[in-house]
Amino acid sequence: MKRTNLTIVALVLSLAGCATMAPKYEQPAAPVPAAWPNGQSYKAESAKLEQKPLADLPWQDFYVDGQLRKLITLALDNNRDLKVATLNIERFQALYQIRRADLLPKVDANATATYQRIAENFSSTKLPQTLHQYNVGLGVSSYELDLFGRVQSLKGQALEQYLATEQAQRSVQISLVSQVATGWLALAADRERLQLARETLANQQDSYKLTKSRHEAGISSALDLNQAQTIVDAARVDIARYTTLVAQDENALDLVVGSKVPADLLPQALSESLTSLRDITPGLPSDVLLTRPDILQAEGELKGANANIGAARAAFFPRITLVSAVGFGSDDLANLFKSGAFVWKFAPQVSLPIFDGGTNKANLKVAEVDRDIAVARYEKAIQTAFREVADALAQRGTIDEQLAAQQSLNDATAESLRLSRARYEKGVDSYLTVLDSQRSLYSAQQNLIGVRLSRLANLVTLYKVLGGGSAE
């Protein structure tokens, strides 16, 4: 009899490893063109030297500025968003372990002792009785035979969710590295603008003093004096504004880094040697987009939703649960392990849904709609990524020309200021011409800083949207 029972148990356990009822997963087609946009805003891509895909280029190799490297390392150690993403990985890893454990029987050891007194009114001997019962053994409680893959599907969903959180953590790190670099550049640019405003104020104060002395000597008019005052006040306004912006940039860096940034890691001016690459080859959309961690995360969630359909389908079929135990029992503790005390119990239970008010059907519909939602989110993630790369490439295609034009404008306005001052001093032009030239030069210098910032920030953005920013 014992041999027969063991054979039955072995048979049903082998049946428990069947395939799931989840539909076969098929990766949705990418809803974007096979090539990046082209036109006047984009550089014509031609054959270039082999470049390692940016997604495989660690940030330590991309960013070469020593201060920025140290700042990024500090952020990776302290940023709270990254810590939450890392803890989420641990959480979903534990949930996956729970689901995987559901595939195996849970064996418990137990020991019980029961003492019972039976009143004489209920005793067959018409005398009071005291009963003693002792049991010790091993048992399997409520183990579900996964004949239709319900538990296996739930385990698959937990695994995909766990893998998706790993990609989410990578995505957070890539964004964090980009945020640190962008904030660092913004601070550098605002510090340059503040320094330019201070230098302009010093120059304009000297010019104002000269104009004031000329006015007191009767050479310059009151209008010239007041016009000279306006540009001095404008520089003072900019100093106050950029002082505020610099402080706010430092606060933003503190938040991103997760701690107070040491003063020696803060930039004083824009660095033209920020990265190791002067130009970037984007590669093909299919190679770039489908390996971005945010898209891999969306695909993992899609696979998890697909697995849930298998669990919902399995709910329409019978569920077989086993309860079993083997051990020893006796009414005397001294005889508990003697011959004849061996006991066993095997109690399979079959549950077949007959009427549930449409619950199982509704659960299946929910699972199928969740899968369709996940498909739409996956496709939207690809479209968003394509747009981000296309926007960065559009700026990259024109930023060098913009920088060259802005530098030329800066040089031309500087020469115009020199000529207008000479003409004013010779009495050929009014002071208004000098004032306009000064304003034009100051504006051109500020805009030049902005264009330089845009060019460096574009490299940072391209590195991010092409999937770069992981650690070695």
Side-chain angles (χ1 to χ4, degrees):
M1 185 69 175
K2 184 191 305 182
R3 189 183 192 90
T4 302
N5 289 329
L6 292 176
T7 302
I8 294 174
V9 172
L11 176 62
V12 295
L13 286 176
S14 65
L15 291 175
C18 69
T20 70
M21 303 183 71
K24 181 180 178 181
Y25 173 75
E26 295 183 1
Q27 186 182 51
V32 294
W36 303 116
N38 54 57
Q40 294 182 349
S41 297
Y42 303 90
K43 283 185 177 180
E45 296 297 335
S46 56
K48 298 181 179 179
L49 295 176
E50 292 187 4
Q51 176 186 297
K52 187 177 182 180
L54 288 186
D56 299 332
L57 185 66
W59 64 263
Q60 297 93 332
D61 294 342
F62 182 76
Y63 295 108
V64 296
D65 188 281
Q67 285 181 309
L68 181 56
R69 279 183 173 181
K70 292 179 181 178
L71 195 60
I72 292 175
T73 301
L74 189 62
L76 293 175
D77 291 338
N78 294 296
N79 182 267
R80 300 310 189 268
D81 290 335
L82 187 59
K83 286 186 177 181
V84 170
T86 302
L87 291 173
N88 275 332
I89 291 178
E90 296 182 15
R91 178 178 182 271
F92 281 100
Q93 184 181 30
L95 289 175
Y96 169 63
Q97 294 293 341
I98 293 173
R99 289 300 187 186
R100 190 171 68 171
D102 288 341
L103 292 170
L104 303 173
K106 295 177 176 59
V107 179
D108 300 317
N110 57 79
T112 60
T114 303
Y115 305 94
Q116 181 179 7
R117 183 182 187 280
I118 299 178
E120 59 184 24
N121 294 335
F122 299 103
S123 174
S124 58
T125 62
K126 300 302 180 180
L127 295 174
Q129 287 183 298
T130 301
L131 301 180
H132 302 262
Q133 185 175 2
Y134 304 93
N135 292 279
V136 62
L138 298 175
V140 176
S141 59
S142 300
Y143 170 59
E144 179 180 346
L145 294 179
D146 197 25
L147 300 180
F148 302 99
R150 189 187 75 88
V151 179
Q152 182 72 28
S153 293
L154 293 176
K155 188 207 80 168
Q157 189 274 337
L159 174 61
E160 294 299 338
Q161 189 67 52
Y162 162 60
L163 296 177
T165 56
E166 284 191 325
Q167 297 301 329
Q169 191 264 355
R170 284 187 58 212
S171 184
V172 170
Q173 177 175 317
I174 288 173
S175 296
L176 175 59
V177 171
S178 176
Q179 283 182 312
V180 173
T182 301
W184 193 80
L185 288 173
L187 174 59
D190 284 338
R191 282 191 165 183
E192 272 199 38
R193 291 180 174 123
L194 176 59
Q195 183 60 29
L196 176 61
R198 286 170 174 167
E199 292 174 356
T200 300
L201 176 61
N203 293 334
Q204 296 311 316
Q205 284 177 334
D206 291 340
S207 179
Y208 174 77
K209 291 177 182 178
L210 178 60
T211 304
K212 184 177 181 181
S213 63
R214 289 169 63 89
H215 172 66
E216 292 173 350
I219 302 174
S220 298
S221 65
L223 178 60
D224 292 342
L225 181 62
N226 287 321
Q227 287 174 336
Q229 181 68 45
T230 59
I231 196 167
V232 170
D233 291 339
R236 290 174 57 199
V237 169
D238 280 352
I239 287 175
R241 181 160 62 93
Y242 288 121
T243 299
T244 299
L245 289 176
V246 166
Q248 291 175 341
D249 292 339
E250 292 175 357
N251 293 337
L253 269 182
D254 289 345
L255 177 60
V256 171
V257 171
S259 64
K260 182 65 179 175
V261 178
D264 61 335
L265 297 184
L266 297 176
Q268 298 301 319
L270 290 172
S271 171
E272 298 302 328
S273 59
L274 177 74
T275 70
S276 59
L277 301 178
R278 303 295 297 177
D279 203 359
I280 292 176
T281 303
L284 296 175
S286 58
D287 297 332
V288 173
L289 299 182
L290 299 185
T291 58
R292 276 188 25 161
D294 56 334
I295 293 177
L296 292 176
Q297 177 189 357
E299 186 177 16
E301 292 171 351
L302 170 57
K303 291 178 179 178
N306 197 69
N308 265 342
I309 295 178
R313 287 177 175 176
F316 286 89
F317 295 86
R319 294 175 63 178
I320 301 177
T321 305
L322 300 182
V323 177
S324 63
V326 294
F328 300 92
S330 174
D331 58 359
D332 188 346
L333 186 60
N335 298 326
L336 182 61
F337 296 102
K338 290 184 176 181
S339 176
F342 179 76
V343 296
W344 60 269
K345 180 177 71 172
F346 179 66
Q349 178 181 350
V350 180
S351 174
L352 175 65
I354 297 178
F355 177 76
D356 60 4
T359 299
N360 286 338
K361 186 175 181 179
N363 285 334
L364 177 58
K365 182 64 176 179
V366 169
E368 292 173 340
V369 172
D370 284 344
R371 188 266 317 274
D372 294 340
I373 292 174
V375 169
R377 287 175 175 168
Y378 173 69
E379 293 174 339
K380 178 63 180 297
I382 294 177
Q383 291 175 333
T384 300
F386 186 90
R387 186 266 173 96
E388 289 176 351
V389 177
D391 284 350
L393 291 175
Q395 187 181 31
R396 166 179 168 264
T398 58
I399 192 65
D400 288 338
E401 181 180 351
Q402 184 182 352
L403 180 60
Q406 188 63 48
Q407 184 64 60
S408 178
L409 176 61
N410 189 82
D411 296 341
T413 52
E415 180 63 15
S416 295
L417 176 59
R418 187 187 69 79
L419 294 175
S420 63
R421 277 177 175 169
R423 291 172 64 86
Y424 170 69
E425 291 172 357
K426 293 179 180 180
V428 178
D429 283 336
S430 67
Y431 189 74
L432 181 59
T433 304
V434 177
L435 182 63
D436 287 340
S437 296
Q438 289 174 333
R439 288 172 175 166
S440 297
L441 177 60
Y442 180 65
S443 176
Q445 290 172 325
Q446 293 284 9
N447 289 337
L448 180 60
I449 295 173
V451 176
R452 289 170 54 221
L453 171 62
S454 296
R455 186 183 182 282
L456 293 171
N458 178 249
L459 289 173
V460 173
T461 300
L462 269 173
Y463 180 59
K464 171 192 172 185
V465 298
L466 291 174
S470 60
E472 286 183 318

